[in-house]
Amino acid sequence: MTTEGLVRPDGPAKLTGAARYAADVPAESALAAALVSATVPNGRLAELDAAEARDCPGVAAVLTRADLPTLAELPSPPLGYPALPLQAEEIHYEGEPIAIVLAETLEQAQYAASRVRATYTGVREPIAFGEAEDVVPHSGHVLGGTDEEKGDAGAGLAEAHVTVTATYTTADRHHSPIEPSATLAWWEGEQLVLHSSVQSVAVAQQTMAALFSLPPEHVRVVCPFTGGGFGAKGYVWPHLPLAAAAAKVSGRPVRLVMTRAQMFTLSGHQPATRQTVSLGATRDGRLTALRHDSVNASGRAVDYLENTTHSSTWLYASPAIETRMRVQRVDRPGPTPMRAPHEGPGMFALESAMDELAYELGIDPVELRLRNEPDVDPMTGLPFSSRRLVECLREGAERFGWAERSPEPRSMREGNDLVGWGVAAATMDTFRAPSSAKVRIGADGRIVVETGMQEIGTGLPAMVQAVVAETLGCDPGDVEVRHGDSGFPPHAGTMGSMSAMGLGSAVQAAAREVLDKLDGRPGQPLAGLLAESGLTELEAEGRWSPEEDALAAGRSARYSMHTYGAIFAEVRVDADLGVVRLSRAVTRYAAGRILNPLAAHSQLTGGFAWGYGQALLEHSDVDPVLGRFVSKNLAGYLLPANADLPDLDAAFVEDDDRFANPLGAKGIGELGAVGVAAAIANAVFHATGRRVRNLPIRLADVLSEP
Ligand code: MOS
């Protein structure tokens, strides 16, 4: 496959501003919407005084609960938060919309929104994470359930020569895509048209149809481009139903764009977790038991589960494995998946604990992982569809120069810098979902592909071009890709790192069908084949879905199906100031066949930046009195910049997983964000002798005495 250096056909449109995002779409007579948000974390709305706002210049309407239609009730997912705003007097979280102002301009709407007065009743002190009861969440969509068990972990720990038990925490974090969520909505009679920034056109269409009790074909969702999502646009958040309801009530198109502050309350976040890992091992470093208990913060009316323990069921061989997942219902906006959900926070705990065990045993941390490489899935006994973790560890170690490491903490000083080397494994579940796509050949030999999926920055059009080019033996430039419209064949969405394998497999099926119908072979000129068949145009719809006995998206009934990686990090810690700088890193990944090396490399380096942020910068603190996120902007929320990330050597090892799908590809969008925080924390321990178990790592953690 000749995709080395494949460039993005969507690049010029994005660079010149020609690419149209949801808020850019022109609509005659559209009203601008601004939301009035609750300033309390619970209680009820007592009174809402909108008189002054209604008199403000340019205001067309101030809509309150009484003005809006009653919407059908749906769970989360598909809703981000199961209780939609403006459907009850109850306040579910700080920032929940309590009124919508519609005006001729955005500035007029925002000013008028600031003049709405609200009073509340029954407001009580917010319940914070760590103060609530642990509850067993609804486990309907939880892979393997909330608790998994094999063997006797208690006995395994009792008979171990060495044990390690430690508690780790990860912080609340926010997605902050560049493009805030936005919806432009209008009605054409009973038909609803939505231009919206989403991660799944199909999910938005189905969910909005259900909320408004419409047949799905009466809802059209258009979203060719999404300016980043990372999970914040995966489920249906309030901007969609509120824009649609406001358009219905006002009889005019309504454009609702989230402010940056609203992105901190109305599109989810990655919830804080507290995890305890116990490992038992023999003196020669073989695990006798692995226990992983975890609890995450959720909203008061939503049991979002950050499934951190899941990866502990397949990563290492152990005769006994016990995992347990709980949530706490607390007073704050609702969480949602965020790149990388589950394994991202979970692998910080497991891979930190493995590092602690390596020091206890006096065994090199790479070697410890190699000694616990399983032959089959340790929990289910299923074979691995493909697993190249050992290759990732070996190649990464070689490239990094790991053999030169001096094992003692604080033993690699350079001037005033304490130098530390750390390693961690990475793994992600392989989510899979049905997908479809259309391939059409014209008389001039041009090829058009249509997919409902949107381009979110991952390079979807280039990937589709590559698959068509490989299947038909044509030039990638001959393929035009039309994307992001519910009128095109549906796909589950850009979530769970499953876009390329699903869409790619559907495109491959459609292209093969075209070739079959023409009785052609790859590389034959399509225009000629078409003419020979007496046709002016030929179209085929390709479908792909996981094998019929797949239990659920994310778990095959026949194979243990995952992606893997190894992260090697070097940090330099200022001995006086405690400042941690990453000086270099080597990462190696196994994620099936790589369809577009250039875009795939970008995904993995971008993912690494997310892991770096998790390790050293990102935390959304909650005000314990007001029950609100303190910093609802990017000035108060630290993110990594390019200068934080020097010399990153990211690459793939050979892998090809034909059990996952016909392309042999697996997910890469989230894998890169896994394991990085543990590798950095482990490097900080090696540099300083200080074990930091709470993310992000702060100066005070590093400076305190070991
Ligand atoms: Mo991803 S967190 O499934 O967008």
Side-chain angles (χ1 to χ4, degrees):
M1 188 167 194
T2 54
T3 55
E4 204 73 52
L6 204 67
V7 294
R8 298 177 173 227
D10 47 307
K14 286 180 175 171
L15 281 175
T16 58
R20 212 166 247 180
Y21 291 80
D24 304 332
V25 176
E28 211 167 316
S29 77
L31 288 165
L35 299 176
V36 181
S37 294
T39 54
V40 295
N42 53 45
R44 302 168 70 80
L45 190 60
E47 221 177 316
L48 195 77
D49 180 359
E52 188 188 342
R54 288 199 171 98
D55 283 343
C56 286
V59 170
V62 178
L63 306 178
T64 63
R65 187 185 155 214
D67 304 304
L68 292 197
T70 300
L71 304 174
E73 288 188 20
L74 291 178
S76 171
L79 294 183
Y81 200 94
L84 284 172
L86 292 161
Q87 296 287 304
E89 301 299 332
E90 186 186 350
I91 305 297
H92 300 90
Y93 50 88
E94 188 272 341
E96 183 172 6
I98 52 172
I100 309 169
V101 178
L102 301 177
E104 300 302 328
T105 71
L106 178 63
E107 291 75 12
Q108 289 170 334
Q110 286 177 335
Y111 177 73
S114 76
R115 310 317 294 170
V116 175
R117 304 267 170 262
T119 53
Y120 305 92
T121 175
V123 179
R124 49 168 179 73
E125 198 171 304
I127 298 168
F129 185 43
E131 295 172 356
E133 290 274 309
D134 290 358
V135 299
V136 184
H138 301 297
S139 60
H141 64 289
V142 179
L143 314 170
T146 56
D147 298 7
E148 293 187 75
E149 194 177 335
K150 183 199 77 167
D152 184 341
L157 288 169
E159 77 196 21
H161 298 138
V162 173
T163 60
V164 160
T165 293
T167 297
Y168 307 87
T169 66
T170 63
D172 289 294
R173 298 160 69 210
H174 277 90
H175 313 71
S176 299
I178 291 177
E179 180 206 21
S181 300
T183 298
L184 169 67
W186 70 79
W187 292 79
E188 294 169 2
E190 285 306 298
Q191 313 259 339
L192 173 60
V193 179
L194 298 158
H195 291 261
S196 188
S197 179
V198 293
Q199 286 177 235
S200 173
V201 159
V203 167
Q205 180 196 30
Q206 298 289 334
T207 308
M208 289 296 285
L211 286 176
F212 286 83
S213 305
L214 298 168
E217 60 274 17
H218 283 198
V219 180
R220 182 177 172 211
V221 180
V222 186
C223 178
F225 297 103
T226 300
F230 314 110
K233 300 169 183 174
Y235 300 159
V236 171
W237 292 92
H239 61 96
L240 272 151
L242 292 184
K248 185 160 194 112
V249 172
S250 67
R252 286 169 65 176
V254 167
R255 193 187 319 270
L256 174 54
V257 183
M258 295 293 96
T259 63
R260 183 53 65 186
Q262 285 161 353
M263 290 303 289
F264 282 76
T265 55
L266 294 175
S267 62
H269 62 275
Q270 181 173 80
T273 72
R274 190 174 56 255
Q275 310 173 48
T276 300
V277 178
S278 295
L279 300 175
T282 58
R283 239 178 289 288
D284 66 347
R286 317 230 172 237
L287 290 177
T288 57
L290 189 170
R291 181 184 276 156
H292 191 168
D293 271 25
S294 182
V295 58
N296 66 267
S298 196
R300 204 172 66 252
V302 58
D303 285 347
Y304 170 76
L305 186 70
E306 190 69 38
N307 198 5
T308 51
T309 60
H310 192 41
S311 43
S312 292
T313 67
W314 73 74
L315 199 55
Y316 296 118
S318 173
I321 301 175
E322 201 179 288
T323 65
R324 189 172 178 273
M325 276 297 325
R326 296 294 180 267
V327 303
Q328 280 186 15
R329 295 173 186 152
V330 295
D331 285 307
R332 68 180 63 174
T336 203
M338 181 177 118
R339 182 195 198 185
H342 318 315
E343 288 88 341
M347 288 286 285
F348 167 65
L350 178 62
E351 288 301 277
S352 294
M354 282 296 279
D355 201 61
E356 300 204 37
L357 182 64
Y359 281 97
E360 287 295 323
L361 290 164
I363 295 176
D364 178 86
V366 174
E367 178 58 28
L368 179 64
R369 288 170 173 84
L370 295 175
R371 282 189 200 173
N372 289 286
E373 174 68 12
D375 298 327
V376 294
D377 186 296
M379 180 61 75
T380 62
L382 292 172
F384 293 107
S385 59
S386 78
R387 178 171 163 128
R388 299 278 181 276
L389 175 58
V390 167
E391 288 81 350
C392 292
L393 285 163
R394 291 223 162 101
E395 276 192 32
E398 174 72 29
R399 181 74 180 186
F400 189 82
W402 186 258
E404 303 301 312
R405 179 176 181 266
S406 130
E408 275 303 299
R410 293 181 89 91
S411 63
M412 287 176 40
R413 195 172 177 126
E414 266 184 43
N416 204 41
D417 279 344
L418 303 171
V419 179
W421 291 3
V423 64
T427 188
M428 271 301 289
D429 222 331
T430 296
F431 288 87
R432 300 180 301 159
S435 185
S436 53
K438 213 176 259 182
V439 171
R440 189 162 57 243
I441 316 276
D444 55 359
R446 293 282 303 166
I447 303 153
V448 174
V449 179
E450 288 174 350
T451 166
M453 189 132 77
Q454 78 299 327
E455 152 58 20
I456 197 169
T458 52
L460 171 144
M463 184 279 293
V464 170
Q465 286 184 328
V467 171
V468 174
E470 176 185 63
T471 314
L472 298 181
C474 65
D475 192 272
D478 293 342
V479 184
E480 181 195 342
V481 185
R482 297 181 187 162
H483 47 90
D485 193 315
S486 57
F488 296 151
H491 179 275
T494 310
M495 48 182 85
S497 303
M498 63 187 178
S499 315
M501 75 184 104
L503 177 60
S505 296
V507 167
Q508 186 190 58
R512 279 188 179 153
E513 195 182 322
V514 163
L515 217 49
D516 281 354
K517 280 183 179 165
L518 292 172
D519 212 12
R521 287 184 314 280
Q524 285 183 295
L526 293 165
L529 287 172
L530 208 59
E532 277 171 34
S533 312
L535 296 167
T536 54
E537 189 178 275
L538 179 61
E539 184 178 277
E541 186 163 328
R543 281 171 225 279
W544 177 79
S545 61
E547 63 272 18
E548 276 174 273
D549 59 355
L551 296 176
R555 186 168 265 190
S556 157
R558 289 182 291 170
Y559 296 98
S560 178
M561 197 173 283
H562 313 282
T563 52
Y564 296 92
I567 322 296
F568 293 82
E570 177 184 278
V571 299
R572 280 156 198 270
V573 182
D574 185 299
D576 298 319
L577 302 177
V579 175
V580 178
R581 283 177 301 115
L582 181 77
S583 38
R584 65 192 180 95
V586 172
T587 60
R588 289 294 180 271
Y589 298 100
R593 194 164 69 113
I594 300 308
L595 302 176
N596 181 350
L598 187 64
H601 182 264
S602 294
Q603 282 295 315
L604 272 311
T605 53
F608 188 95
W610 280 75
Y612 178 96
Q614 179 190 28
L616 291 166
L617 299 171
E618 294 179 57
H619 58 106
S620 275
D621 287 330
V622 180
D623 183 316
V625 177
L626 299 173
R628 69 194 289 275
F629 287 114
V630 174
S631 293
K632 295 184 199 160
N633 56 59
L634 296 178
Y637 185 92
L638 298 180
L639 293 167
N642 281 340
D644 291 317
L645 303 160
D647 197 8
L648 173 57
D649 175 344
F652 294 94
V653 303
E654 270 306 307
D655 193 14
D656 191 338
D657 191 342
R658 301 290 159 158
F659 298 118
N661 57 74
L663 287 177
K666 286 196 283 195
I668 52 175
E670 294 171 307
L671 178 63
V674 182
V676 179
I680 291 175
N682 295 343
V684 166
F685 177 76
H686 184 233
T688 65
R690 181 79 177 102
R691 178 63 64 183
V692 184
R693 300 191 180 92
N694 307 305
L695 295 183
I697 298 167
R698 299 167 206 238
L699 297 187
D701 300 325
V702 177
L703 283 173
S704 63
E705 283 307 306

